Amino acid sequence: AGTPLALAGSFPPSETIFPDTTRAWLSIPDIRGLEERFDRTSYGQLVADPQMKAFVDGLREQISKNGRQRLAKLGLTVEDLGKVPGGEVAAAAIEAQPGVLATVLVVDTTGHETEAKELVERIGQRLLEQKAKKVVVPNAPAQLTVYQLPPEQDGRSDAPARDRRVAFALAPAALVVGDDAVQ
């Protein structure tokens, strides 16, 4: 998979590191410049129109709520992602097993290594607050930390509770976070 490349110390483009089992992929090459460039587009001007404020605020809230829920499962917040990128931020849905999708987030932290280290500490604390337990993974690289979270029901009463893990690795210039640590 892609993690060993990201941990090698250089940050290759995300399209080169995700495996063939990637089912969806989103990349923002420059998250800091995205908003500025968007504001200059016709869509950006439409969003800035005062007559669109109620609609745009509602849409932002829906997107933010859904994003917050998904990120919270990884121990992250939307605000966290605004502080650590030095370049690309990419997310992928990877079919770890047939019919099971894992979420993987890769962040180029170039120039933000201190903030990334602080973020990793916050992620660990948040996961512990969610009753997670740190898992020792034999032969894992030193940068990899894995937490086992309490089982979660998927909303159906007849479905068994799902095992949940969150793994993250901090290496020079990269943070990798995923919700299905390979055993």
Side-chain angles (χ1 to χ4, degrees):
T3 304
L5 285 174
L7 295 177
S10 62
F11 192 86
S14 65
E15 66 267 17
T16 66
I17 62 174
F18 290 122
D20 292 341
T21 57
T22 301
R23 301 299 175 240
W25 166 72
L26 171 68
S27 170
I28 302 171
D30 176 15
I31 199 162
R32 298 192 190 286
L34 175 66
E35 186 175 334
E36 180 184 312
R37 288 187 304 275
F38 177 78
D39 289 345
R40 292 191 307 247
T41 68
S42 2
Y43 291 115
Q45 292 169 8
L46 181 64
V47 167
D49 187 321
Q51 294 179 346
M52 296 294 292
K53 183 175 179 4
F55 172 76
V56 170
D57 288 349
L59 183 60
R60 280 187 178 145
E61 179 58 32
Q62 287 177 16
I63 291 169
S64 181
K65 180 181 176 187
N66 291 335
R68 276 193 307 261
Q69 290 171 345
R70 192 66 181 150
L71 288 173
K73 291 181 180 188
L74 298 174
L76 290 163
T77 68
V78 173
E79 292 76 22
D80 291 335
L81 293 180
K83 297 175 185 171
V84 297
E88 181 183 21
V89 175
I94 298 170
E95 192 170 19
Q97 303 168 26
V100 178
L101 290 178
T103 301
V104 177
L105 179 70
V106 179
V107 181
D108 177 349
T109 60
T110 302
H112 297 272
E113 289 80 7
T114 301
E115 293 92 340
K117 184 177 182 202
E118 292 169 357
L119 175 57
V120 165
E121 291 170 9
R122 282 195 308 275
I123 291 170
Q125 184 59 40
R126 288 178 190 143
L127 293 171
L128 290 173
E129 289 169 4
Q130 294 179 37
K131 309 278 190 261
K133 297 197 182 324
K134 203 170 191 178
V135 176
V136 176
V137 179
N139 303 317
Q143 304 97 323
L144 181 68
T145 305
V146 179
Y147 285 89
Q148 178 76 42
L149 283 94
E152 178 181 68
Q153 289 294 130
D154 70 357
R156 298 180 315 174
S157 60
D158 62 334
R162 291 182 323 136
D163 228 14
R164 299 184 311 147
R165 286 190 174 198
V166 172
F168 54 89
L170 179 62
L175 172 63
V176 180
V177 183
D179 68 357
D180 188 10
V182 178
Q183 300 187 28

